Each structure stands twice: as C-alpha cells, then as structure tokens.
C-alpha cells in the first residue's frame, strides 16, 4: 500500500486512456510452454489489449482488498458475503510471510488464521473471484512489510533485491504458498484469477533482475496471468514494469490510467486498465496530533470517492478498493514509516473503509453499492445483511498480579548491548540492565537512536522516556553513582514497512533492527557490561493460584505507583448472549478501552488484541465476539507500561470513540 506519501507532480498527460479509442497494439505474448504444474488447456482467465476475459467473455473486475490474516477466521464468510452484497466480484488479498513462516522452514499455513486456501474457497462459495498478492514484500502497513524478522539474521541478506540469499528465501516461501493454492486457480475451476509480482516495486528500486527473477519464480508456480502494480507516474512505472507481465497502477485512476498508457510502451506489458489500489481513505498513526482518517460525516469526500469509481466503471475498466475491509493489526502486527522519526501505525486498520474494523457497513459502503448497481445487471447484487449491534461490557476492575520485571527469564550477559534480532527475538520488548560501578553523568544515548521507545529506570523508578516517534526525542539526563542500577526497557513499535526513492532518507526498509544498536553512552562515557532479558510477550504470565480470592501480592501492590516499572493487571468479566444463535458471535463484538491506562497491550482469553496508547487517535481495541465465551468467565490481562495506581478499569462500548490526548511523557 502506498497512499499517504506525496509523489512528484505529473506533467500534463494525454486524455485518460479509458476515454480514448484502443491503441492498435499487439496482444500480450503467448504464455510459456506448459510445465509440470501448467495445463495445456486454454486459461479460463486471460486478457487482450482492452478487456479481461473470463471463460472467453469480457469481465470487469469490481474488486476490493481484504486480507484474511487481519480478520478472525470465523468472520471470513460474513465479510466476504458483505463484499458481494456491495457489488464486488473479486477480492484482492495480501499474504503475510511472517505469519506463515515465523521461523525458517516452519510453515504455519495450516493454522486457522493462516489458511489462505480456506479463505479463497469461502470466497468462491460466496460468488467471488480472488487475486493473490503474495509479495514476498507486501507493505500494507504491516510489520516489516510482511517479512519475517529472521531474514535479518541471514548472512548477506538484502531484501527486495536480486541477491541470492533473498531470492532463495523468497523462492522457497512462494513455492510453499503455491503448494497450498495451486488447485484453486481459475485454470482448475477455482476462484484465483491473477497473481501480483512483488508490490509497487517501482517506488522502491530499479533492480530489474530481481523483478524478472520473481516473475520467473511465479511463472513456474502458477498458471494464471501475472501483473504488476505501481504508482501512476513515469519513474514508478519504469522501475516496476516487468516484460511479459501486465502493468497496472494504483491511486488516482484519471492520471494513473493515462500514465500507464503513456509511459509503458512494451506491448507485452499492456492490456486492460486496472486501478489495483484505489484508496478509500487511509491508515492512522499514533500521536497526540494525529487524527483518525475517515470519510464519515464528509459528504463531499464520499461524493469524490464515488465519482472516481464511476469514472472507472463507466469506461468498462477495472478497480480494486483499498481497503474494502481493513481489519486489525492484532498483537504486534503493525508497521511503521521512517520520516526522520518513527511514524507508527495504530493497532486498528479501520482505514475509513466501507466495512469498518468490526465488519459493520458504513455510509461509504452504501454509497459505493448504489454506484456499482448502475454498472451490473439489475438484481445481480444480493441484499446486504443488517448490521448487528455491538455489545457492551460493564466496568471491569483490574488488579495487579505481577510486575513485568518479576517475570524475567534467562539473562544474556554481554559487554555491549545486543539487538533484539541477535537475541533471536522478533517482537515485544528487551530489558537492558547495568550495575553501575563508577560515577556517570550526562545525557543518555541508547545506541545510535531509540529503537523505538526507551523507558529509563534508575533503581526501579522511571526517570524518563526516549521516544523515536518524535522528531526530537526527549533528552534524559542521568547522574549515577556506584551501586545504582540502570535499566532500559526498549519497545519495538513496529519495523518500517515502506520506503520510497523519494523519501529523502536512508533505505529504512534495510534497517529492521530493534533494541539497542551500538553503544549506550552517558555523557562522553560508554557504558559496558549488560544483563539482557528478552521479553517477546508471546503470552501473558499465568495468574497466581486463587487470584480471585486473594488480594494482589503485597510486593506487586507496593510497586504500583507513579514511576514504577510495568505491571500486569488482571480481571474477569461475563457477558450474556449464548442463546443468540441468529447473530452469532458478532453480537458479542465490542470496543474495549482502558481509559486510565497510558500505554500497553491487552489480552482477552490469552489472545493479544494489540497496543493501546493514550495519545490516540485510537482509544479502544476491537474485541471480536469470537474470542468471548458467552455466559462464562472471560479473562482480561493488561500490561500497563506506565502504571500509576493500584487498579485499572476496562470496559466495552458499542460505539467507538476516536480522540487524541497529550502524551504524559512529553507534556
């Protein structure tokens, strides 16, 4: 996804190609001879210079983006049915390599949430075709653009390039994914129409050996047509085009379509026009001054979006709405952008999309539906189901169960700090601890820079926060004496998922390292000798025996005060609804808030909903009803990174509130 970062302004372009007569160019070259995985039968889906063809008949793709790995699997069918009811006929889906292969060779495609084949089969059952966007790089505001963190430990690795280590790893990933999806291709009676080669590579680089190599890998694995998707300007199209692969654009269809047919001149790359990412709005960043992106309450904005869709469909061109339904960056799934500071995406991927984060239809949904109905046969779009009202959860009092620093596992001792990756850790936090043996005084520098948010403690009390989400992070001045203990708790806020040649910074996608990189200094002194603790937070610590009948341990309660280290809080709640068989778990959906918390993560029944942060704009977390046990006890665990009292309160609301508040660490 490339949406919020400005592109160079186009020079005057020719009239949009969708409004002009077809150019007399030859059709795409014939496909390569059949291989072991290819059928000699003519493909069920192909294209000529002007049209996509499904079973030999012209086919306009009316698509929308929806990524299964951001949606509870139990809701896949619901979301797909609503896509069809809006008038869509095709779903575009990114696939996240890091979730499918979290460790080298450890394939998790059989996990329910990673079963891409099951999602595609369900789409077909709901009357939809699918387009696969497998990467290996996908952007999507996801952690490191979908790359697994272990790639950073491979010797000689350079992502998004033709170097052999990356091509070997990417080739193995794509081959394993193809094993799961091969029989779902249109050539075999399945819904899969096309496969994208890489993702908006033209904005990133010009290593054509890489994109051609990726093309060749995918050609050997899939029978359906391949395509590229790039920004609609000259330099992005030049960087991303691949001979023999259909070139398409994203963004503004008016300028983009004209640019495609002006700047792409290789006949083997030309064909029907597709806006592969038409942005329904945009993602949100954490920050006290970062507002939520939405078209709600903006009729002029909705009108503009609808007009663009009609512009495309009126000319029998194709489109994919990015996003139709965004879903959620559960756990530590969000990415970031480096802008000489770390711009971090929030947990919600609501995106201002037609179907909101909870799967409810918005005004934009119905506006698009009304527009699409003009361009499809009357009666061909099913009626959308009514929105199920969300549930509520009354105030839950959460009590402290254990301090984070009391859950430390095995320590690693090192003269200099080790990065998160050197600890063989992908996500979460790292604690660096130093026993002071000589007087130290001056400004703390936690390595080359904060990666990403460093909470500083002296003798167990917070003394400051160095936060890379600010262009000028706060300076923490220390005066330490022998016998003091210095602790640096470093949070990985999400690896950079997007970098462009126009960014004006170093290639941030090639710098995924978290924790501390380089030496820690105080003033002019290098601080050596560290005890290092890995805190991946794969699951919250188990509750103490008889937690409900005993008061919080005195040792925990004693540390819960302003400036104390992080603490896990726990509570339970019950909700009715077990008898509501019509609405199913959707009636238990809610937006869970921790209004007196500052920053942390929330688990419900062991599932990590994601991060909360008082700065906003996100002030509540989407809790899917699929995680809630009706008429039974449910557990909520909150890791509050900056606790200030002996209890926290959580509650669930049927209506989401977006808001921004000052950062208490940067007032």
């Amino acid at each position: 996804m490339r949406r919020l970062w400005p592109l160079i302004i186009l020079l005057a372009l020719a009239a949009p190609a969708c409004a002009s007569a077809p150019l007399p160019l030859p059709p795409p070259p014939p496909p390569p001879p059949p291989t072991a995985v290819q059928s000699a039968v003519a493909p069920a889906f192909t294209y000529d210079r002007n049209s996509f063809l499904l079973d030999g008949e012209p086919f306009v793709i009316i698509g929308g983006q929806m990524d299964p790995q951001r949606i509870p699997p139990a809701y896949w069918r619901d979301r797909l049915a609503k896509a069809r009811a809006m008038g869509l006929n095709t779903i575009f889906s990114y696939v996240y390599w890091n979730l499918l292969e979290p460790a080298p060779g450890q394939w998790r495609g059989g996990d329910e949430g990673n079963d891409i084949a099951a999602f595609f089969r369900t789409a077909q059952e709901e009357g939809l075709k699918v387009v696969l966007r497998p990467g290996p790089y996908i952007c999507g505001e996801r952690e490191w653009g979908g790359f697994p963190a272990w790639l950073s430990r491979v010797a000689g690795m350079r992502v998004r390039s033709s170097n052999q280590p990356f091509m070997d790893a990417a080739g193995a990933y794509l081959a394993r994914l193809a094993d799961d999806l091969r029989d779902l291709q249109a050539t075999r009676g399945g819904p899969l129409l096309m496969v994208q080669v890489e993702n908006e590579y033209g904005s990133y680089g010009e290593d054509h050996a890489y994109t051609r190599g990726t093309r060749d890998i995918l050609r050997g694995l899939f029978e359906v047509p391949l395509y590229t998707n790039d920004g609609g300007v000259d330099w992005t199209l030049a960087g991303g085009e691949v001979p023999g692969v259909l070139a398409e654009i994203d963004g503004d269809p008016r300028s983009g379509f004209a640019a495609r047919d002006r700047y792409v001149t290789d006949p083997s790359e030309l064909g029907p026009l597709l806006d592969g990412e038409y942005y329904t709005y945009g993602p949100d960043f954490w920050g006290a001054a970062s507002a939520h992106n939405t078209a709600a309450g903006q009729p002029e904005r909705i009108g503009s979006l609808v007009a663009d869709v009609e512009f495309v469909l009126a000319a029998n061109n194709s489109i994919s709405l990015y996003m139709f339904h965004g879903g959620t960056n559960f756990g530590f799934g969000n990415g970031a952008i480096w802008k000489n500071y770390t711009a971090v995406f929030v947990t919600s991927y609501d995106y201002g999309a037609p179907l909101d984060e909870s799967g409810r239809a918005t005004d934009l949904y119905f506006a698009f539906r009304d527009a699409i109905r003009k361009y499809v046969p009357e009666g061909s779009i099913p009626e959308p189901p009514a929105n199920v009202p969300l549930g509520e959860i009354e105030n839950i009092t959460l009590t402290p169960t254990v301090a984070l620093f009391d859950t430390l596992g095995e320590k690693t001792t090192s003269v200099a700090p080790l990065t998160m990756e050197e600890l063989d850790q992908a996500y979460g936090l790292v604690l660096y601890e130093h026993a002071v043996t000589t007087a130290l005084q001056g400004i703390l520098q936690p390595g080359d820079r904060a990666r990403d948010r460093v909470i500083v403690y002296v003798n167990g009390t917070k003394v400051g926060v160095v936060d890379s989400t600010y262009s000028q992070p706060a300076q923490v001045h220390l005066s330490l004496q022998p016998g003091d203990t210095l602790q640096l708790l470093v949070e990985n806020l999400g690896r950079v998922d997007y970098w462009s040649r126009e960014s004006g910074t170093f290639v941030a996608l090639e710098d995924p390292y978290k924790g501390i990189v380089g030496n820690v200094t105080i003033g002019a002194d290098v601080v050596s000798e560290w005890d290092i603790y890995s805190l991946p937070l794969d699951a919250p610590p188990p509750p103490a025996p008889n937690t409900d009948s005993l008061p919080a341990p005195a040792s925990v309660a004693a540390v819960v005060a302003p400036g104390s280290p992080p603490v896990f809080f726990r509570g339970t709640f019950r909700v009715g609804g077990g008898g509501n068989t019509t609405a199913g778990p959707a009636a238990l959906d809610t937006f869970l808030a921790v209004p007196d918390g500052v920053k942390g993560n929330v688990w419900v029944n062991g599932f990590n909903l994601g991060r909360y942060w008082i700065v906003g704009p996100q002030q509540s977390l989407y809790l899917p009803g699929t995680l809630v046990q009706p008429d039974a006890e449910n557990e909520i665990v909150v890791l509050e990174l900056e606790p200030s009292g002996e209890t926290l309160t959580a509650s669930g609301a049927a209506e989401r509130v977006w808001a921004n508040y000052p950062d208490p660490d940067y007032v």
Side-chain angles (χ1 to χ4, degrees):
M1 202 296 298
R2 178 197 47 77
R3 166 68 177 84
L4 301 176
W5 308 280
L7 291 172
I8 55 174
I9 299 175
L10 286 171
L11 299 174
L13 296 175
C18 59
S20 60
L23 297 177
L25 293 174
T35 67
V37 299
Q38 289 178 315
S39 167
V41 178
F45 182 78
T46 186
Y47 58 89
D48 59 23
R49 177 62 181 86
N50 303 303
S51 301
F52 291 109
L53 302 170
L54 181 63
D55 297 325
E57 297 296 325
F59 181 75
V60 173
I61 295 174
I62 308 176
Q65 181 87 16
M66 183 162 51
D67 304 338
Q69 290 159 292
R70 263 197 269 239
I71 306 166
Y75 287 159
W76 286 350
R77 186 175 298 277
D78 171 80
R79 303 325 191 231
L80 290 164
K82 289 173 179 174
R84 185 70 196 95
M86 198 181 81
L88 303 188
N89 60 27
T90 306
I91 295 298
F92 288 61
S93 291
Y94 280 143
V95 175
Y96 310 154
W97 182 2
N98 66 318
L99 297 186
L100 285 168
E101 193 180 12
Q106 183 189 101
W107 190 253
R108 301 291 295 273
D111 292 357
E112 186 182 24
N114 288 331
D115 194 342
I116 311 302
F119 180 79
F120 284 2
R121 285 192 293 268
T122 305
Q124 185 173 30
E125 291 166 3
E126 294 298 326
L128 293 159
K129 305 299 182 182
V130 296
V131 170
L132 175 66
R133 309 181 74 190
Y137 163 83
I138 57 95
C139 183
E141 289 71 61
R142 290 293 296 187
E143 227 275 348
W144 205 15
F147 290 140
W150 57 262
L151 286 179
S152 67
R153 301 294 312 280
V154 177
M157 175 64 65
R158 187 183 179 196
V159 298
R160 301 190 82 182
S161 78
S162 58
N163 85 319
Q164 203 58 47
F166 182 69
M167 294 302 291
D168 289 345
Y173 151 68
L174 292 170
R176 184 61 187 84
L177 179 63
D179 287 344
D180 290 347
L181 303 179
R182 186 170 292 115
D183 288 340
L184 293 171
Q185 297 175 93
T187 51
R188 306 187 183 196
L192 178 55
L193 302 181
M194 291 196 298
V195 177
Q196 181 176 290
V197 177
E198 233 268 349
N199 184 59
E200 300 172 320
Y201 179 77
S203 65
Y204 182 80
E206 300 177 283
D207 184 348
H208 296 293
Y210 164 54
T211 51
R212 292 177 183 181
T214 304
R215 171 203 63 191
D216 294 344
I217 291 171
L218 291 171
R219 272 183 175 173
L221 297 171
F222 292 97
E223 302 157 7
V224 295
L226 306 179
Y227 78 104
T228 57
N229 204 80
D230 288 287
V233 292
D234 53 355
W235 61 275
T236 56
L237 288 165
E241 63 180 324
V242 183
V245 176
L246 178 63
E248 301 293 8
I249 62 94
D250 57 29
D252 174 22
R254 301 168 195 271
S255 61
F257 285 168
R260 201 289 301 261
D261 280 350
R262 178 175 182 178
Y263 297 122
V264 176
T265 57
D266 183 339
S268 74
E269 300 167 10
L270 290 169
L273 292 165
L274 164 68
D275 189 337
E277 286 188 6
Y278 178 72
Y279 305 111
T280 57
Y281 219 98
D284 296 328
F285 295 96
W286 289 116
S290 181
H292 170 54
N293 288 302
T294 179
Q298 301 183 56
E300 290 185 2
R301 173 63 175 165
I302 291 177
S304 175
L305 294 169
V306 168
D308 282 348
V309 169
E310 293 208 44
F311 168 80
V312 173
L313 298 182
N316 288 322
N317 291 317
S318 294
I319 193 167
S320 176
L321 304 174
Y322 192 102
M323 301 287 296
F324 163 71
H325 173 53
T328 308
N329 294 315
F330 291 117
F332 301 112
N334 66 278
I337 305 294
W338 179 252
K339 300 182 178 182
N340 291 318
Y341 64 92
T342 307
V344 180
F345 294 108
V346 302
T347 298
S348 170
Y349 203 58
D350 180 87
Y351 211 87
L355 212 63
D356 72 13
E357 184 183 3
S358 73
R360 272 68 179 177
T362 66
D363 290 346
L364 184 59
Y365 176 99
F366 292 104
F368 279 146
R369 186 176 190 272
D370 288 343
I372 293 169
R373 289 173 63 186
K374 302 175 186 177
Y375 302 96
V376 299
E378 184 176 355
S380 64
I381 300 178
E383 287 297 316
N387 286 337
V388 175
L390 281 81
E392 295 182 343
I393 302 173
E394 295 182 353
N395 284 352
I396 311 160
T397 298
L398 309 175
T399 56
T401 58
V402 64
L404 176 65
F405 293 175
D406 289 338
T407 68
L408 303 177
E410 184 177 348
K411 71 180 179 183
T412 299
T413 302
S414 177
V415 173
L418 301 175
T419 66
M420 180 175 282
E421 295 73 21
E422 288 172 323
L423 296 168
D424 198 25
Q425 179 183 343
Y427 316 112
L429 304 99
V430 179
L431 177 64
Y432 300 85
E433 187 171 280
H434 171 73
V436 180
T437 58
T438 184
L440 297 168
Q441 184 167 326
I443 301 297
L444 170 73
Q445 180 62 38
D448 61 347
R449 66 175 188 270
R451 294 174 178 249
D452 296 301
R453 189 171 185 269
V454 184
I455 307 179
V456 184
Y457 304 90
V458 175
N459 299 329
T461 299
K462 186 184 78 172
V463 296
V465 176
V466 186
D467 188 340
S468 70
T469 66
Y470 293 88
S471 58
Q472 295 183 324
Q475 292 187 330
V476 178
H477 187 279
L478 297 177
S479 181
L480 304 178
Q481 301 299 318
D484 287 343
T485 299
L486 172 66
Q487 293 171 306
L488 307 178
L489 182 63
V490 185
E491 180 181 4
N492 169 7
L493 292 176
R495 293 179 178 85
V496 165
D497 69 87
Y498 177 84
W499 180 86
S500 168
R501 287 185 278 161
E502 63 174 356
S503 295
T505 71
F506 64 90
V507 185
L509 202 72
E510 295 182 351
D511 185 15
Y513 306 104
K514 298 301 181 182
I516 294 177
V517 174
N519 287 316
V520 174
T521 59
I522 298 175
D525 296 312
V526 173
V527 182
S528 300
E529 304 299 339
W530 294 91
D531 291 337
I532 308 171
Y533 299 90
S534 183
L535 295 164
L537 300 178
D538 294 327
N546 300 319
T547 295
D548 292 333
S549 60
L550 294 175
S555 60
V556 178
V559 303
V560 182
S564 69
V567 171
F568 287 97
F569 291 77
R570 179 183 181 272
T572 61
F573 65 94
R574 296 176 69 93
V575 293
N580 189 346
T581 57
T582 302
L588 303 178
D589 288 359
T590 192
F591 292 112
L592 192 70
V594 187
D596 44 356
V598 174
K599 191 177 192 305
N601 277 72
V602 178
W603 290 260
V604 171
N605 294 330
F607 184 87
N608 190 344
L609 296 181
R611 312 175 207 259
Y612 66 90
W613 197 353
I614 191 173
V615 296
Q618 182 173 357
Q619 295 295 333
S620 58
L621 294 165
Y622 172 51
L623 170 56
T626 54
L627 298 174
V628 178
Q629 302 172 33
D631 303 312
E633 184 178 272
N634 295 272
E635 179 189 60
I636 175 172
V637 175
V638 173
L639 172 61
E640 171 56 53
L641 294 175
E642 301 186 33
S644 59
E646 294 184 6
T647 63
L648 286 176
T649 301
S651 62
E655 297 291 334
R656 164 168 265 169
V657 175
W658 302 90
N660 298 91
Y661 299 103
D663 186 343
D665 295 305
Y666 278 73
V667 174

